[in-house]
Amino acid sequence: MGNKVLIVGGVAGGASTAARLRRMDEEAEIIIFEQGPHISFANCGLPYHIGKVIEEREKLLVQTPEAMEARFNVEVRIKNKVVKIDRANQELEVKDLESDETYREDYDYVVLSPGADPIKPPVPGVDGDRIFTLRNIPDTDEIKGYVDQHKPDSAVVVGGGYIGVEMAENLHERGLDVSIVELAPQVLGPLDREMAAQVHNHLRMKGIELYLDNGVAGLADQEDKKKVSLSNGEELTTDLVIMAAGVSPNTELAQKAGLEIGETGGIKVNDYLQTSDPNIYAIGDAIEVTDAVTSNPAYIPLAGPANKQGRIVANNLTGAKEKFPGSQGTAIAKVFDLTVAGTGNNEKQLTEADIDYEVSYINKKNHAGYYPGAVPMTLKILFTPDEGRLLGAQIVGYEGVDKRIDVLATAIRFEKTVFDLQDLDLAYAPPFGSAKDPVNMAGFAAGNILNDKVDVIHWHQIDELADDAILLDVREEVEVKLGQIDGSVNIPLNSLRDRLEELDKSKEVVVYCAVGLRGYIGARILMQHGFENVKNLAGGYKLYSAVQKDEQGIIDDSTTPEGERLTSISNPEEGQQAEEEIEKTTSEL
C-alpha cells in the first residue's frame, strides 16, 4: 500500500480508477493529469446539450477537480499534458499548458486513460472554419455557440455512427436541415443491413437526407457557405459540417514509450489490463480488448467498459487481482422516435470470425396489445446452429427496447442458449409487458428452428428462389392491397386448410405474413398435410419491405409510433387479435 499512482486522462476510465483506488487504499498518492479543462464530463450527453435537451451545461460536469480533491484526496492537474513516459527512470514528463513549463513526476505505477481522437478524413479543406468535431466540453461549447449565435439553416454530418446520428437528430431539433454522409452502405455499423434499413426509413421520414456508401472528397468555402464534395461527384452546400467519422485510439504516448500496440490499433493489454510494461496499465477507448463472444482482439470504445476497467485496475493495484472479461459491445441509441440497441456480434463479425450461426426474428409489442399505447419492436437474435448458444442480438423499436437488450446482454455474457430464453421468468403486467415477453418469444422462435418445427428463409434469399417456387401470402386481402412480394399467391391463413388443393406439393413453398407469426402457423399446417419443402419468411413482409423501401429511398410514414399503431389497427389479424391470442395461450408458437 502507499504507492504513487499517476493517472493520464480523466473522464470515465481515469476518474473511476482514482475514486476506486482511494476507497481501497487511503495511503496511496494519486495524481490525475488532464490536458483539458475538465476532469470528468458526460461525453455521451454532449449532443443533447447542443440540442438543448440538456439545457444546463453544468449537468454535463460529472466531477470537478475541487470535488474530486475534497472527497477522495486526489490531486487533479487540469491543463497539464503528459508528453513522455520515461520507463527507465519511472518518470512522466509533463507540460503545464498554462505556464508552458515542463516538469517531471516520478511514479510507482501509471494508468493510461487518454481516450480516443475523432477521425478526420485526409481530404482538402478538412481543417477549415465551420468544420467541427465533438469530443469534449470545449467542442460542445464551440458548436452550440455557433448554432446559437449564427442560427444556421443547414448542416452536413460526416459519419453515421452513434455520435453522428445523435448529432443529426439534435441539430434537426434546433431547426436545421441535416444531411448525413456515410462511407459505409448503412448508418450504425453494429446493426445488420435489414435492421439498419428500418433506421434509414425513419431518418428519411423525419427529413434527414442520407448519402450512404459515399465519402467526402473535399471541403471548401463558397461565399458564406461550405461546399462538401462527395466521392460520387455530388456537391452539397451547407452552413456547417460536423465530422463524426468515428474515433481512433490515442496511442501516441504508448508508442513513444515503446509499449506494445495491438492488431486493432489500440494499446495491447493483458487480462489484468497491464501493458507490456507491468508498471503501466491502460484502460478505456485507447486499448484493445477481447471480444467476449469470439475471444478475438477487438476495439470497442464505449463508456460502460471504460468505467469497469477503471475499477478493475484499482483493484489490481491494491492486490485484489481481477481480470477484465472482455467486452461484448452492448450499446443503445435514441434515433428520433426509435430506440436502437445491440449486443454481442452481428452477422458481419461472425462471418469474419468464421463462426457458423443461425438467425431468427420476432416482431412483438412492448406490452400487452389490449393495453393502450402498445407499439412493436423488431428483435433479432443470432445463435449457434447446434446447441443454440446466443451470439448476438439487435432490437429496433420504440419503447421497452432497453430492458430487453439488457436481458439478452446478460444471457450472452453467461453463455446461455435460446432455450434458456424460453425459461426466463420476467416481470409481467399489461402496462409493462406480455405474459410471454419478447425475450421469451425470441427463444421460442429460435427453438422452433433448431428443433425442426419450421425451416426459415431470410429476406435476402427471396430473389434466389427457383422460378417454380410458390410464394404464399397468408395475410388478409386488405393487407395485400397495401403491398406484397411480386409473384405471390394470396390465401388468408384462416382459409388455408380448405384451399390446400390449390397448391402443388411437389414445389417449394415459401409462406409469409406481416411479421412471421401467421407464416409459421401456415407452414405448420402445410408440413402436416404432406408438403415436404416448406419455409417461413423470417421477419415477414414487414422486414422484407423495409429493405426494399430503403433501397428505393421511399419515405415511409408508418415508421413512427403513431404510424405503427395505425398499422396494427388496420391489421386486426396481426394486431390486437393476434396479440390477445398470444396473451391467452400457454403453448409455444
Side-chain angles (χ1 to χ4, degrees):
M1 297 257 176
N3 287 314
K4 185 174 182 180
V5 180
L6 306 184
I7 301 173
V8 182
V11 196
S16 63
T17 301
R20 175 68 174 177
L21 182 56
R22 176 58 73 218
R23 292 195 296 271
M24 296 296 100
D25 185 358
E26 188 65 18
E27 302 300 319
E29 182 181 356
I30 308 169
I31 306 174
I32 298 178
F33 300 91
E34 171 57 54
Q35 67 178 2
H38 305 285
I39 180 181
S40 187
F41 55 90
N43 49 2
C44 296
L46 301 181
Y48 298 99
H49 179 54
I50 295 168
K52 289 189 173 181
V53 177
I54 301 171
E55 293 189 4
E56 297 177 38
R57 179 180 181 274
E58 290 69 28
K59 289 188 175 180
L60 297 172
L61 303 177
V62 177
Q63 189 68 272
T64 64
E66 295 77 17
M68 194 82 181
E69 292 176 6
R71 174 71 52 93
F72 296 106
N73 189 26
V74 170
E75 184 179 352
V76 178
R77 301 181 188 174
I78 58 173
K79 299 182 182 178
N80 274 244
K81 180 178 181 179
V82 177
V83 294
K84 182 180 178 182
I85 304 173
D86 183 348
R87 292 168 55 194
N89 295 305
Q90 291 199 192
E91 290 181 335
L92 297 185
E93 187 176 307
V94 187
K95 184 175 184 179
D96 186 322
L97 297 179
E98 290 197 311
S99 68
D100 210 29
E101 295 179 356
T102 301
Y103 63 95
R104 297 175 77 87
E105 194 76 44
D106 66 291
Y107 66 83
D108 293 310
Y109 294 99
V110 167
V111 179
L112 292 177
S113 181
D117 297 320
I119 294 172
K120 283 189 173 183
V123 298
V126 73
D127 294 318
D129 63 347
R130 288 174 291 164
I131 300 172
F132 305 93
T133 58
L134 181 61
R135 181 176 185 261
N136 51 35
I137 297 284
D139 293 341
T140 307
D141 293 339
E142 193 176 356
I143 297 170
K144 186 174 183 297
Y146 185 85
V147 175
D148 290 346
Q149 294 170 23
H150 297 277
K151 299 191 173 13
D153 295 321
S154 61
V156 169
V157 177
V158 180
Y162 292 112
I163 296 296
V165 168
E166 289 168 354
M167 278 302 304
E169 175 183 349
N170 280 280
L171 290 172
H172 181 274
E173 294 300 318
R174 293 293 305 270
L176 280 72
D177 292 327
V178 182
S179 301
I180 295 177
V181 178
E182 170 54 54
L183 189 60
Q186 66 172 75
V187 302
L188 301 179
L191 293 182
D192 284 318
R193 173 72 183 86
E194 74 284 10
M195 302 297 279
Q198 300 171 71
V199 180
H200 296 165
N201 294 337
H202 188 68
L203 286 168
R204 290 191 183 99
M205 194 278 300
K206 289 293 184 178
I208 305 298
E209 293 284 342
L210 298 181
Y211 296 86
L212 304 175
D213 215 2
N214 217 331
V216 173
L219 300 129
D221 292 322
Q222 189 175 65
E223 297 179 354
D224 59 343
K225 299 280 187 178
K226 297 297 290 189
K227 183 176 72 174
V228 182
S229 301
L230 304 185
S231 55
N232 69 348
E234 289 186 76
E235 291 185 348
L236 308 179
T237 302
T238 188
D239 292 314
L240 73 149
V241 177
I242 304 291
M243 303 302 301
V247 297
S248 61
N250 186 336
T251 60
E252 182 182 0
L253 263 181
Q255 290 193 64
K256 285 167 60 177
L259 300 177
E260 188 175 351
I261 304 299
E263 62 184 72
T264 64
I267 301 169
K268 190 175 181 63
V269 294
N270 63 15
D271 290 343
Y272 298 96
L273 300 170
Q274 286 172 300
T275 68
S276 50
D277 183 328
N279 286 9
I280 302 176
Y281 291 77
I283 57 177
D285 293 356
I287 71 170
E288 177 178 271
V289 297
T290 298
D291 185 309
V293 174
T294 66
S295 298
N296 292 335
Y299 181 60
I300 305 175
L302 292 169
N307 276 283
K308 296 179 186 72
Q309 291 157 11
R311 180 184 176 91
I312 289 170
V313 164
N315 289 346
N316 289 330
L317 287 169
T318 53
K321 290 297 183 182
E322 183 179 349
K323 293 181 178 181
F324 178 63
S327 177
Q328 63 195 66
T330 304
I332 190 166
K334 176 183 180 296
V335 184
F336 289 93
D337 299 328
L338 284 181
T339 304
V340 182
T343 185
N345 279 197
N346 58 30
E347 292 196 50
K348 297 182 287 287
Q349 291 169 312
L350 292 172
T351 300
E352 289 172 6
D354 199 25
I355 294 175
D356 290 334
Y357 64 92
E358 183 55 88
V359 170
S360 73
Y361 308 87
I362 61 120
N363 189 280
K364 188 89 161 64
K365 292 184 172 62
N366 62 310
H367 59 61
Y370 56 79
Y371 188 88
V375 284
M377 65 181 73
T378 301
L379 193 160
K380 173 181 183 176
I381 58 173
L382 303 98
F383 48 93
T384 58
D386 40 23
E387 78 274 25
R389 181 171 66 86
L390 287 163
L391 301 170
Q394 299 163 41
I395 310 177
V396 175
Y398 299 96
E399 299 173 17
V401 170
D402 52 345
K403 68 178 182 177
R404 274 75 188 208
I405 203 68
D406 283 344
V407 171
L408 291 163
T410 304
I412 291 172
R413 171 63 63 177
F414 293 104
E415 299 184 349
K416 297 302 180 182
T417 70
V418 299
F419 302 105
D420 292 316
L421 297 185
Q422 300 176 9
D423 296 332
L424 290 177
D425 192 351
L426 302 173
Y428 162 60
F432 305 106
S434 299
K436 290 194 296 190
D437 191 84
V439 172
N440 299 133
M441 297 300 288
F444 291 139
N448 284 334
I449 296 171
L450 294 180
N451 287 331
D452 297 324
K453 295 289 195 300
V454 68
D455 194 3
V456 294
I457 187 171
H458 296 291
W459 61 271
H460 57 86
Q461 297 172 314
I462 291 294
D463 293 339
E464 302 168 5
L465 287 171
D467 292 339
D468 64 346
I470 300 172
L471 277 165
L472 176 60
D473 185 344
V474 296
R475 297 175 298 159
E476 297 300 306
E477 186 177 344
V478 65
E479 300 172 75
V480 175
K481 289 179 179 178
L482 298 175
Q484 68 174 163
I485 301 174
D486 291 343
S488 298
V489 175
N490 176 226
I491 303 178
L493 178 63
N494 291 351
S495 304
L496 183 57
R497 290 182 181 87
D498 299 326
R499 298 175 59 181
L500 292 174
E501 72 281 355
E502 298 178 27
L503 302 173
D504 188 340
K505 291 184 178 180
S506 68
K507 295 182 179 180
E508 179 181 15
V509 182
V510 174
V511 190
Y512 73 91
C513 63
V515 297
L517 173 58
R518 285 171 291 170
Y520 168 68
I521 296 170
R524 290 299 301 163
I525 290 171
L526 295 177
M527 291 167 68
Q528 293 177 82
H529 282 83
F531 289 80
E532 296 182 354
N533 192 0
V534 181
K535 293 183 176 69
N536 182 29
L537 176 60
Y541 181 72
K542 180 179 178 181
L543 192 68
Y544 175 85
S545 65
V547 177
Q548 301 303 309
K549 290 173 181 176
D550 177 30
E551 290 179 349
Q552 297 169 36
I554 296 173
I555 296 176
D556 184 3
D557 290 337
S558 71
T559 60
T560 64
E562 295 76 17
E564 293 280 11
R565 290 188 184 107
L566 287 171
T567 301
S568 292
I569 290 169
S570 66
N571 179 1
E573 185 71 16
E574 196 65 35
Q576 187 152 325
Q577 178 182 334
E579 194 69 49
E580 289 171 353
E581 289 174 355
I582 292 171
E583 293 291 346
K584 289 184 288 187
T585 186
T586 57
S587 62
E588 67 177 49
L589 275 175

